[in-house]
Amino acid sequence: MALVIAGERSGVGKTTVTLTLLASLRRRDRLVQSFKIGPDYIDPMFHQHVTGRACRNLDPVLTSQAYVQQCFTRHSQLSEYALVEGVMGLFDGVKRSREWRVGHMGDKGDMGDEFGRCPMPNAQCPMPNAQCPMPNAQCPMPNAQCSTDFASTAHIARLLDLPVVLVIDCSRLSGSVAAIAHGYKSFDPRIKIAGVILNRVGSDRHLSLLKDSLEPLQLAILGVLRRQDNITIPDRHLGLVPTAELPELKALIDRLADLGDTCFDWQRLLPLLKSEPLPHLPPCGELKLHPPSSVRIAVARDRAFNFYYQDNLDLLQQLGAELVFWSPLEDAGIPKDVQGMYFGGGFPEVFAQQLAENTSVRDAVKTAILKGMPTIAECGGLMYLCEQIIDFEGKSWPMAGVLPTSAVMGGRLTLGYRRAVALQDNLLVKAGTTVYGHEFHRSDLTLTPTQPLFETSRYDCDENMGCEGWGLPANVHASYVHLHWGESGEIPQQFLKECLKVASSATWI
């Protein structure tokens, strides 16, 4: 058992409610493991700051349904309580592609639901022109586009068989709250709604109206959060401001813990949050590959570069790598005696001036790469390897200068899951390999590569998104597409093999 915190839509306060629960549990010295549905990097940073434990992403698009189950099982059983924060609204997901996982490493997945069956047992699929994998069934949601909630909060709740608490933003409604709650409760009979949390309640009178409206539904009110003017998490162009940039974060978490002590029905919530043993599943990230010899990898981690899936870092370590964390912002050079570099995403555009002024690091990175050091650079990391970053104000800041292009910040957001087919053998995968990733950025490059890494398309359809990714020099993998390696252990294995291959023949520093 554990609990899923879902919203009736984005912006209703899921993250605030989740952090309030986590902060109050930690104040009680409870050991709690958190999870985040979807590809997000920033919310998990806040979870980890509160719990002291790495938050794990649950995303069946980037990994698989089996991996989601394995990851949750492994990590939830290492703690006393478990809490899963949802994504967007409860039923907001993606349409599963007919080519789901075809050509992916291991060919995982199928056209059925999370248990390998059609989600509408024994009936005619209500979607016109759709080919139901198991026809002749009775849909529990007549005329519903059931196939579009893949990777949604509802999908993960079904997959893990967990109860859901629905967070409702009550700031602009009273009696209508019952219609919202009833609709979410009845829309999919497979979802177990354990209760609701009423957020942004304005007054005692307002709360009374809400309770009166909900009473006929016999739906438990598990928490009431009043409007809070002193609890605000700042955000910017890609979401919340990361934890490392918030000097007053401790005070904010303390206020959330104070709030959590009084706003929740703990007598009902604690049993729902309690972790219980689940059926045995293979451990998350289990590899059938033999670890290579020890390799030291320089992982850039500071305020500019901090978008990493913890599972990716774990896999590198399981394969024998020693991770050396360092800062392109603060350090005078790259770490000594390393055989590879890993630049995650982040906000290099926010710290472009400081990155530009650290010329010794920029020069060292360029020199090491030109000498052949294997390097992964995702999104923000790719931007750092460009000749320059042009910020939102049009100011140009020189970067490492490895890639003959510039990253220009703009207003257009590029967002979504991607199916990417490798066009050539490269640092991480062989030509023809299909990988699934996620893009989320507001920058564009002034020049596109002449020999791109990938041809990309939207995950759920054949719409071509163009070619992208830099693989020249050949020891570089620079791409806007974020990859989760959870079910693709071949990727970190290949990276470390390349690091070993050149380690004895080059001097980096």
Side-chain angles (χ1 to χ4, degrees):
M1 183 69 71
L3 196 59
V4 177
I5 301 299
E8 25 101 3
R9 64 184 186 279
S10 293
V12 300
K14 290 188 305 294
T15 300
T16 299
V17 168
T18 300
L19 293 177
T20 302
L21 284 165
L22 294 176
S24 192
L25 285 168
R26 287 300 298 140
R27 175 174 284 182
R28 298 161 184 239
D29 292 324
R30 308 286 187 168
L31 187 63
V32 57
Q33 174 64 54
S34 70
F35 300 87
K36 171 64 182 177
I37 298 172
D40 182 63
Y41 289 100
I42 299 178
D43 286 354
M45 295 181 196
F46 283 86
H47 290 206
Q48 181 171 348
H49 180 87
V50 175
T51 67
R53 300 172 65 87
C55 175
R56 304 289 169 163
N57 289 77
L58 304 176
D59 193 318
V61 175
L62 298 184
T63 57
S64 74
Q65 297 172 119
Y67 185 86
V68 168
Q69 292 174 315
Q70 293 160 11
C71 186
F72 177 81
T73 299
R74 178 186 183 188
H75 294 291
S76 64
Q77 294 191 71
L78 298 176
S79 61
E80 188 179 3
Y81 296 94
L83 187 64
V84 180
E85 180 183 350
V87 59
M88 301 178 66
L90 177 57
F91 298 102
D92 295 327
V94 295
K95 182 178 179 181
R96 190 187 325 217
S97 169
R98 290 173 186 250
E99 290 78 28
W100 167 242
R101 286 300 186 241
V102 173
H104 186 67
M105 293 177 176
D107 287 340
K108 301 169 287 295
D110 51 56
M111 280 296 294
D113 75 351
E114 55 268 25
F115 303 106
R117 305 186 303 265
C118 173
M120 299 160 281
N122 306 319
Q124 294 286 333
C125 176
M127 295 167 281
N129 304 316
Q131 183 179 0
C132 179
M134 295 184 66
N136 306 319
Q138 183 177 8
C139 176
M141 296 164 280
N143 304 315
Q145 294 278 337
C146 306
S147 69
T148 60
D149 81 341
F150 191 82
S152 68
T153 304
H155 178 200
I156 302 303
R158 296 193 306 262
L159 197 61
L160 302 178
D161 193 24
L162 298 180
V164 171
V165 170
L166 184 68
V167 179
I168 301 177
D169 179 359
C170 302
S171 59
R172 292 177 177 83
L173 55 82
S174 56
S176 298
V177 70
I180 294 172
H182 175 69
Y184 278 83
K185 182 181 179 182
S186 61
F187 182 75
D188 184 347
R190 298 168 294 174
I191 300 299
K192 299 176 291 187
I193 303 290
V196 296
I197 290 177
L198 307 179
N199 192 25
R200 299 168 185 153
V201 176
S203 65
D204 290 342
R205 173 59 178 163
H206 187 198
L207 179 59
S208 178
L209 292 172
L210 295 169
K211 287 182 174 180
D212 289 345
S213 298
L214 290 169
E215 185 176 6
L217 299 181
Q218 297 183 328
L219 195 59
I221 298 175
L222 299 176
V224 176
L225 281 70
R226 303 296 183 112
R227 292 174 186 166
Q228 303 290 327
D229 296 329
N230 65 335
I231 298 179
T232 302
I233 304 175
D235 59 7
R236 58 176 173 230
H237 56 281
L238 291 183
L240 298 179
V241 175
T243 55
E245 299 179 50
L246 299 175
E248 298 182 357
L249 183 57
K250 183 181 182 303
L252 172 63
I253 299 303
D254 287 341
R255 290 197 294 272
L256 289 175
D258 292 339
L259 176 63
D261 290 343
T262 59
C263 73
F264 295 125
D265 185 341
W266 286 105
Q267 187 173 356
R268 288 180 171 178
L269 277 173
L270 282 178
L272 295 173
L273 290 161
K274 185 75 174 177
S275 294
E276 299 290 348
L278 297 174
H280 175 73
L281 291 167
C284 167
E286 183 178 46
L287 297 177
K288 298 179 181 179
L289 304 167
H290 297 292
S293 304
S294 180
V295 178
R296 282 167 54 88
I297 305 297
V299 180
R301 189 164 71 179
D302 56 18
R303 291 170 296 157
F305 305 101
N306 44 42
F307 289 5
Y308 296 96
Y309 295 122
Q310 183 63 41
D311 291 2
N312 286 10
L313 302 179
D314 289 350
L315 283 168
L316 288 172
Q317 292 177 314
Q318 289 174 30
L319 286 166
E322 177 188 351
L323 305 185
V324 184
F325 297 102
W326 70 292
S327 171
L329 285 171
E330 305 289 347
D331 292 341
I334 63 177
K336 301 289 185 180
D337 302 320
V338 295
Q339 292 83 43
M341 293 188 292
Y342 186 5
F343 293 89
F347 291 99
E349 67 275 14
V350 175
F351 302 97
Q353 180 175 354
Q354 189 175 348
L355 289 170
E357 291 173 349
N358 196 343
T359 56
S360 61
V361 164
R362 290 195 288 113
D363 292 343
V365 167
K366 182 174 183 177
T367 298
I369 290 176
L370 294 182
K371 285 185 176 182
M373 182 180 286
T375 301
I376 299 173
E378 284 189 344
C379 200
L382 175 153
M383 296 167 63
Y384 182 63
L385 297 191
C386 292
E387 292 179 343
Q388 59 186 348
I389 290 176
I390 301 174
D391 64 21
F392 286 108
E393 297 178 353
K395 297 179 180 178
S396 299
W397 306 100
M399 293 292 121
V402 175
L403 308 178
T405 186
S406 297
V408 183
M409 302 306 301
R412 184 177 68 89
L413 175 64
T414 300
L415 169 66
Y417 290 112
R418 300 288 181 261
R419 182 171 60 247
V421 179
L423 297 174
Q424 57 181 304
D425 290 352
N426 59 67
L427 179 66
L428 300 185
V429 296
K430 299 295 184 181
T433 301
T434 298
V435 294
Y436 292 83
H438 188 261
E439 279 193 83
F440 189 38
H441 56 91
R442 288 192 183 274
S443 66
D444 290 295
L445 302 182
T446 55
L447 293 176
T448 56
T450 56
Q451 295 180 287
L453 294 179
F454 297 118
E455 181 177 16
T456 65
S457 60
R458 293 192 186 278
Y459 155 75
D460 56 355
C461 66
D462 293 328
E463 182 182 348
N464 190 286
M465 300 300 293
C467 296
E468 77 92 48
W470 294 75
L472 291 175
N475 53 297
V476 169
H477 181 101
S479 170
Y480 271 123
V481 179
H482 294 280
L483 298 177
H484 190 297
W485 305 335
E487 282 219 336
S488 303
E490 300 90 338
I491 289 178
Q493 178 81 356
Q494 177 63 26
F495 174 56
L496 295 183
K497 284 181 179 178
E498 292 300 318
C499 293
L500 280 174
K501 187 184 298 183
V502 298
S504 61
S505 62
T507 302
W508 311 120
I509 306 298

